[in-house]
Amino acid sequence: MSRPIYLDAHATTPVDPQVVQAMLPFFTEHFGNPASITHAYGWEAEAAVKSARQRIAAAINATPEEMVFTSGATEANNLAIKGVAEAYFAQGRHLITVQTEHSAVLDPCRYLEALGFEVTYLPVRPDGLIDLAELEAAIRPDTILVSVMAANNEIGVLQPLAEIGQLCCRLRQGSGIPLLHSDAAQALGKLPLDVQAMGIDLMSLTAHKLYGPKGIGALYGRRRQPRVRLAPQLHGGGHERGMRSGTLYTPQIVGFAKAVELALETMTAEAERLQGLRQHLWSQLQPLPAVRLNGHPTRRLPGNLNVSVAGVDGQALLLGLRTIAAVSSGAACSSTSTAPSHVLKALGHSDELAYASLRFGIGRFNTTAEIDRVAKGAIATIQSLRQATDLSGYVR
Ligand SMILES: *Cc1c(COP(=O)(O)O)cnc(C)c1O
């Protein structure tokens, strides 16, 4: 039996074959530890890591010294949020984030609340974007960190980061707070990111959402104006300037850099192509009654379509689509739980409507023919579920 069409690019993406090729020599031939300074094996690995670090930093207009490699965006978010809280608690114990953030931001914040920090979780408007005036009103003299994601992993909306950066800069005190952190796991390689122009102090990245390997990511931390202080969360051999101990995972780091480069080379054309496919899918689903788009219609990731289908059972909808398309109703990390998506709830959806939602994540290897097949399958599933509901209503 053939597998369903993969349309879950927000959960993860396949590794691009060119990325695999770049990684392979670093498993076997160039296997050295980049921290081994006494021999050529170490030097080779160190040179590869250095080059990768430069290329990844350049992709967000940062310097190589500002990058700390981590196991992914979850770890980068933890390091940013807990690391700042621990380093700045003498200046303040208040943090601001948004209700629609990834759990890798929300959970460290809840952890800090248990330790005595105070967190404001900003609501979003019905289109998924935050209100800048509400953010400004929430910032207090003791606010040390504002954390707002670049692109949402469920509804794809792009928060007004540059404006948020300007706001944090304007309200910044002599002590350099509040700092601005952004989880850019979904945005890297898909939208232009520039930490200087956008005024971002900390940024979390990951490779596996952009056709790189799983298990590698990075945290950017600004080194000047202001210089961000971070308390390390992993202690040991003092790697990454003491910010994150642990032997560097050379093949993954090489793959991460290659994936970033490939994504940047094709970014504009690929964004247009994905937007076209998204529009193609939406134009077929939109005519169905009571199907609505979640999130801002244009300020969103090019490959993201998230729709709610009123009047059908969410479980049945996913089951019906299971053999046709690999999609989800919410984030992959919470799809094991039965709770409705906190992101859709923040948009004001009822539990039923949140359950009856589909997240399509269109990616690099999807084709128009695939989108057509998925659209057909989705329409047939929705219509048959609605018919069944009508019939059972009729029988009763
Ligand atoms: C996938 C994702 C994460 C988690 O990244 P990992 O590298 O898998 O730890 C965090 N934030 C967002 C927005 C994501 O999409």
Side-chain angles (χ1 to χ4, degrees), residues 125-129 150-152 155-160 190-192 271-272 274-276 278-279 282 286 293-306:
R125 303 187 310 213
D127 65 6
L129 298 178
N152 188 274
I155 53 175
V157 297
L158 315 177
Q159 297 291 354
K190 302 183 190 130
L191 334 157
E272 264 175 44
L274 292 177
Q275 250 167 47
R278 197 242 330 266
Q279 190 49 38
W282 179 226
Q286 194 175 14
L293 180 71
N294 292 316
H296 194 283
T298 54
R299 288 190 55 100
R300 62 195 301 141
L301 286 170
N304 174 280
L305 183 71
N306 190 310

Side-chain angles (χ1 to χ4, degrees), residues 75-296:
E75 190 191 331
N77 287 339
N78 271 268
L79 177 56
I81 294 165
K82 295 193 257 181
V84 163
E86 207 180 317
Y88 288 83
F89 77 95
Q91 273 130 281
R93 300 183 188 189
H94 178 237
L95 295 87
I96 300 174
T97 187
V98 185
Q99 291 173 3
T100 52
E101 291 287 315
H102 192 274
S103 53
V105 164
L106 295 175
D107 282 359
C109 285
R110 287 187 197 114
Y111 169 79
L112 289 174
E113 281 185 292
L115 293 185
F117 287 84
E118 228 186 297
V119 182
T120 300
Y121 300 91
L122 292 174
V124 293
R125 303 187 310 213
D127 65 6
L129 298 178
I130 63 164
D131 183 330
L132 284 170
E134 257 179 278
L135 170 59
E136 178 161 4
I139 296 178
R140 320 188 309 210
D142 63 339
T143 306
I144 52 176
L145 187 71
V146 173
S147 180
V148 180
M149 73 202 316
N152 188 274
N153 51 298
E154 291 191 35
I155 53 175
V157 297
L158 315 177
Q159 297 291 354
L161 265 191
E163 286 86 345
I164 297 169
Q166 272 173 9
L167 180 65
C168 289
C169 245
R170 178 158 62 76
L171 299 181
R172 194 163 279 167
Q173 307 158 18
S175 48
I177 56 169
L179 297 167
L180 174 59
H181 166 250
S182 184
D183 176 350
Q186 294 287 344
L188 181 65
K190 302 183 190 130
L191 334 157
L193 291 174
D194 182 327
V195 292
Q196 301 307 335
M198 295 166 130
I200 295 164
D201 304 306
L202 295 133
M203 184 182 268
S204 301
L205 308 174
T206 190
H208 77 99
K209 307 284 172 77
L210 79 155
Y211 314 94
K214 294 172 185 58
I216 188 70
L219 178 67
Y220 153 78
R222 182 179 291 281
R223 296 263 279 180
R224 50 184 69 83
Q225 294 179 332
R227 180 192 180 93
V228 172
R229 287 180 284 124
L230 276 179
Q233 303 297 305
L234 272 185
H235 303 90
H239 307 76
E240 300 296 88
R241 300 182 325 280
M243 283 302 141
R244 201 279 190 181
S245 288
T247 300
L248 289 176
Y249 198 176
T250 317
Q252 310 300 98
I253 291 170
V254 169
F256 185 8
K258 183 70 184 175
V260 166
E261 269 175 4
L262 286 177
L264 290 191
E265 274 167 25
T266 54
M267 190 162 70
T268 315
E270 180 65 357
E272 264 175 44
R273 192 187 75 90
L274 292 177
Q275 250 167 47
L277 290 179
R278 197 242 330 266
Q279 190 49 38
H280 190 58
L281 180 55
W282 179 226
S283 66
Q284 294 178 72
L285 299 182
Q286 194 175 14
L288 294 176
V291 172
R292 67 155 133 166
L293 180 71
N294 292 316
H296 194 283

